[in-house]
Amino acid sequence: MKIPYPVFLKRTEDYPKWLPAATSVAAVLLAFVISGIILAATGANPLKVYSYFFKASFGSWGAFSDVIVKATPLLLIGLGCSLAFRMRLWNIGAEGQFFVGAFMASAVVMVPLVNLDTTPRWAIISLMGLLGMLGGSLYAFIPGILKAKLNINEIIITLMLNYIAVLWNNYWIFGKWSESGFQMTKTFPKVAWLPRLADYAREVPAFSGMTLHAGILFGLIAAVFVYLVIYRSKWGYKITLIGDNPRAARYAGINIARNTILVFMISGALAGLAGMTEVSGVVHRLQERISTSYGFSGVIVAWLAKLNPFAVIVVSILFGALLVASREIQPSGVSFLIQGITLFLVISSDVLLKYEIKWVRPAQETAQ
Amino acid sequence: MNWTEIFRSGLSTGTVLLIAAIGEILTERSGVQNLGVEGMMLLGAMAGFKIAFQTGNVWLGLLAAIAAGGLLSLAHAIVTIHFQADQTVSGLSLTFLGTGLAMVLGDGLTGQTGPVIPRATIPLLSQIPYLGPVAFTNHNLLVYFGYLLVPIVSYYIHKTRPGLHLRAVGENPAAADTLGVNIYRTRYLYTFIGGCFAGLAGAAISVAIAPGWYSNLTVNGQGWIAVALVIFAHWNPWRAALGGYLFGVLRRFSLDLQGPRLLFGLANPFFFNTNLVFFLQMAPYFLTIIALIWGSSAARRKRIGSPAALGVPYQRGERGL
């Protein structure tokens, strides 16, 4: 058996501009096809599941508003991951940073850090946002400094910190902050809620029941910010250089250790902000299930968007739809399955960008 | 606190980590890093439990688990060895894929009870004072398999010709290639073997140590802990065994801390405030972080590195390292 099959890959730098986007789209479509085959094998009707899927997420404005709500944390986390991945820093800890951000934001209300009756709403919400970002970035500082100073594998550290963050939250919601024995805090007072479309239902009747909250604005602002950093700033250029060629970056006098910590902290701050928008904009309390593995989906979102901040917006909406739909379809692992297959196809398709593929007949090869 | 029980349980939970870590050591020694251990273990746990439950034969379950882990790992092998994709991202997507597959295929298995791996007491050896009751009495057979696995794999890696080829492929693939070792085949083979071990480790949970299928909570991070253990172990099976068992013992110890009213003569805070238990549950994850820091710095001090070509795709004629 001859394992490297007779295909010849020629390294190439130039590919048509549309190719990256096309491979991503093709990967998503193909992932749906493959998942459909697996679903059919388990006895479900894939077409029924998918049409249900589509209706549950894009069937009405209300459903679409739910999709955007789900897309908000994915957008923020996906942006943070895009930045970190540019530098080849594998921050898989967005889930943990999300929880710590949610915890810090909740502390404003639960401790409480300010007088909730007299402080204006904008101040409370800003403080929650800032503390959420602070929490996330401090939590990301741990893997950052371990990576920068001791070169310790950040993937495993961030993953372990995810588990620790969830348990830390549990300690508070099962104990100190528990609402009469339930595993959640009391509902936050209205002053700590991010404004929602439904709040304006009296002025615009069409908004009634719409859950869309202001968190999406944070996401869009963050997208512009990350875009400017990556594509328009000298610092963004340095980050990309460190990611692509750390040796060259070191010779160019770039401080890799400091940038490692900094990028980790920004990435964590965005995840922490996502946690804040979730408690302040959606559930209005701290509870056990505030994340349907946003942290991990964010990784896929970033990769599918090829680390491009504006593409992250589009992809996070798509994944938001996937999450909304998967609340209602059985079996529950389907969304994981589609995400896993998509990511696999995307990274496999990268070979099309890096190489020109030529098929070589075995006879030709032996002649070489 | 019952120390015999703590050590006994440490050995059996440690076996899961040991099997998964040894598989990953073999894979990484060939220069391929597979971070998908968690996903492969979950799929193995599901396959093992499902087949054992459906056929009533636990050994068929184990075979299914080994096959499931191995087959899933081939996805990683194709993508990273042939398509030269980034091994980190590929490993992550393997975890997603394994989790999704296991959840979809394991739908409806929750709450069922199936056959489990039989237990045995080794004659003679179980008579040894202290060691006998802890290590050789009434364990499931996989624990004993773990005892045998360590010296065999260690001997294989360090003393045999195929083991030499394995190390060469991981350290200097170009040199190994000139000596006629087939790099691609070697890497495929050991990625596959690593996957088989991960699948077996998953089944060791679902049909032996904590029987049953609890959806994605069945493995609960142990695959990642096994990956960390490989670094802590400096890619050495003996150290992986030490780490795995130590980990098992410390985990059981930290859980048993809730039991007694008095701890070292003082009132036990974990007994009187049950919410502090969450901090005890953090212990394995803290331990992993500490082990990783310790292992990495010890490796640097003694100048033991990871296999030099770890994570680097190989292509003939290209300057690799």
Side-chain angles (χ1 to χ4, degrees), chain A residues 1 150 159 163 175 296 355, chain B residues 84 96 185 221 224 275 300:
Chain A
M1 191 175 62
L150 298 169
L159 271 160
Y163 292 101
F296 297 106
Y355 295 96
Chain B
Q84 314 203 344
F96 276 106
R185 191 185 302 175
W224 293 109
N275 283 317
R300 204 172 13 260

Side-chain angles (χ1 to χ4, degrees), chain A residues 38-314:
Chain A
I38 296 174
L39 279 176
T42 62
N45 179 349
L47 288 179
K48 234 182 190 165
V49 172
Y50 289 154
S51 73
Y52 191 74
F53 225 101
F54 194 77
K55 234 186 284 166
S57 43
F58 295 109
S60 68
W61 284 110
F64 187 63
S65 138
D66 282 353
V67 168
I68 303 288
V69 168
K70 286 276 177 198
T72 302
L74 291 178
L75 173 56
L76 285 163
I77 290 170
L79 289 169
C81 288
S82 306
L83 193 64
F85 293 172
R86 287 249 160 202
M87 223 177 116
R88 305 249 167 251
L89 288 178
W90 305 110
N91 179 10
I92 316 300
E95 187 86 359
Q97 292 140 20
F98 175 95
F99 270 96
V100 174
F103 167 79
M104 293 284 275
S106 305
V108 174
V109 181
M110 298 308 298
V111 172
L113 295 178
V114 289
N115 186 335
L116 296 173
D117 297 324
T118 55
T119 319
R121 187 176 183 182
W122 63 265
I124 292 178
I125 289 177
S126 312
L127 184 64
M128 288 172 80
L130 284 175
L131 280 183
M133 288 169 76
L134 182 72
S137 65
L138 287 180
Y139 208 52
F141 174 78
I142 303 170
I145 192 155
L146 288 176
K147 172 79 180 176
K149 300 290 176 198
L150 298 169
N151 195 24
I152 288 171
N153 188 318
E154 72 275 23
I155 298 176
I156 296 164
I157 299 287
T158 49
L159 271 160
M160 294 300 126
L161 289 176
N162 287 347
Y163 292 101
I164 292 172
V166 171
L167 289 166
W168 168 259
N169 260 20
N170 281 352
Y171 169 70
W172 292 91
I173 57 182
F174 278 73
K176 277 225 160 57
W177 292 352
S178 164
E179 160 98 276
S180 51
F182 289 106
Q183 292 139 22
M184 50 178 75
T185 65
K186 64 174 191 197
T187 307
F188 296 167
K190 278 252 178 183
V191 284
W193 292 21
L194 278 170
R196 292 197 295 191
L197 281 188
D199 299 346
Y200 301 97
R202 207 177 303 151
E203 290 86 1
V204 189
F207 284 172
S208 91
M210 293 266 194
T211 51
L212 184 64
H213 59 82
I216 187 68
L217 297 179
F218 296 166
L220 295 175
I221 294 167
V224 175
F225 167 75
V226 174
Y227 173 82
L228 291 177
V229 166
I230 293 179
Y231 293 104
R232 292 278 178 271
S233 79
K234 207 169 143 191
W235 186 52
Y237 180 74
K238 284 184 187 170
I239 292 174
T240 313
L241 180 62
I242 297 173
D244 288 346
N245 193 342
R247 206 175 287 176
R250 200 172 301 122
Y251 288 139
I254 298 172
N255 186 337
I256 296 182
R258 204 181 66 192
N259 282 309
T260 300
I261 297 173
L262 208 56
V263 165
F264 246 112
M265 288 180 77
I266 294 177
S267 180
L270 288 170
L273 185 61
M276 176 268 174
T277 64
E278 204 64 11
V279 289
S280 169
V282 183
V283 288
H284 303 131
R285 51 156 52 114
L286 191 64
Q287 59 184 34
E288 206 177 358
R289 293 177 190 279
I290 46 175
S291 162
T292 40
S293 37
Y294 291 132
F296 297 106
S297 301
V299 171
I300 304 182
V301 166
W303 209 257
L304 200 55
K306 309 268 182 205
L307 313 186
N308 178 322
F310 291 139
V312 170
I313 300 177
V314 179

Side-chain angles (χ1 to χ4, degrees), chain B residues 28-57:
Chain B
E28 293 199 4
R29 283 274 185 164
S30 79
V32 177
Q33 184 171 46
N34 188 350
L35 294 177
V37 180
E38 177 87 6
M40 298 187 293
M41 279 176 74
L42 200 56
L43 193 65
M46 188 282 302
F49 182 74
K50 186 169 186 168
I51 299 299
F53 172 69
Q54 283 175 349
T55 63
N57 185 332

Side-chain angles (χ1 to χ4, degrees), chain A residues 1-5 7 9-11 38-39 42 85 88 90 92 146 149-153 155-157 159-161 163-165 167-172 174-176 247 293 296-297 299-300 303 330-334 336-337 339-341 343-344 347-351 354-355, chain B residues 33 35 38 72 75-76 79 82-86 88-94 96-97 99-101 103-105 107 182 184-185 188 215-216 220-222 224-225 227-228 231 273 275-276 278-279 281-286 288-289 292-294 296-297 300 315-316 318-319 321:
Chain A
M1 191 175 62
K2 193 159 171 43
I3 278 190
Y5 50 70
V7 80
L9 299 174
K10 194 175 142 225
R11 210 174 247 286
I38 296 174
L39 279 176
T42 62
F85 293 172
R88 305 249 167 251
W90 305 110
I92 316 300
L146 288 176
K149 300 290 176 198
L150 298 169
N151 195 24
I152 288 171
N153 188 318
I155 298 176
I156 296 164
I157 299 287
L159 271 160
M160 294 300 126
L161 289 176
Y163 292 101
I164 292 172
L167 289 166
W168 168 259
N169 260 20
N170 281 352
Y171 169 70
W172 292 91
F174 278 73
K176 277 225 160 57
R247 206 175 287 176
S293 37
F296 297 106
S297 301
V299 171
I300 304 182
W303 209 257
Q330 290 294 328
S332 54
V334 175
F336 273 117
L337 187 66
Q339 293 181 38
I341 295 177
L343 189 53
F344 244 113
I347 57 171
S348 315
S349 68
D350 279 352
V351 76
K354 275 189 282 184
Y355 295 96
Chain B
Q33 184 171 46
L35 294 177
E38 177 87 6
L72 189 59
H76 181 72
V79 169
H82 262 123
F83 295 163
Q84 314 203 344
D86 191 291
T88 306
V89 192
S90 171
L92 276 177
S93 38
L94 202 67
F96 276 106
L97 190 60
T99 308
L101 271 176
M103 284 170 77
V104 169
L105 299 175
D107 194 40
N182 188 328
Y184 296 95
R185 191 185 302 175
Y188 262 94
S215 195
N216 54 342
N220 208 9
Q222 293 190 66
W224 293 109
I225 294 176
V227 174
I231 300 171
N273 182 352
N275 283 317
L276 289 176
F278 291 118
F279 289 98
Q281 289 175 0
M282 289 178 193
Y285 309 115
F286 273 122
T288 307
I289 293 177
L292 203 54
I293 296 173
W294 182 28
S296 304
S297 52
R300 204 172 13 260
Q315 200 183 9
R316 245 185 205 180
E318 254 185 28
R319 222 180 117 217
L321 295 171

Side-chain angles (χ1 to χ4, degrees), chain B residues 116-190:
Chain B
V116 293
I117 299 278
R119 291 169 176 275
T121 298
I122 310 283
L124 289 179
L125 289 177
S126 58
Q127 304 301 317
I128 305 173
Y130 300 110
L131 192 62
V134 169
F136 300 107
T137 306
N138 199 27
H139 274 302
N140 73 71
L141 293 176
L142 285 175
V143 174
Y144 303 121
F145 171 72
Y147 298 161
L148 296 177
L149 192 61
V150 181
I152 293 173
V153 172
S154 178
Y155 181 82
Y156 178 83
I157 292 177
H158 298 285
K159 301 278 191 234
T160 66
R161 183 157 286 272
L164 178 69
H165 288 169
L166 165 64
R167 282 181 288 141
V169 169
E171 295 290 349
N172 193 340
D177 199 5
T178 48
L179 290 175
V181 181
N182 188 328
I183 308 298
Y184 296 95
R185 191 185 302 175
T186 310
R187 288 191 168 172
Y188 262 94
L189 178 67
Y190 288 104

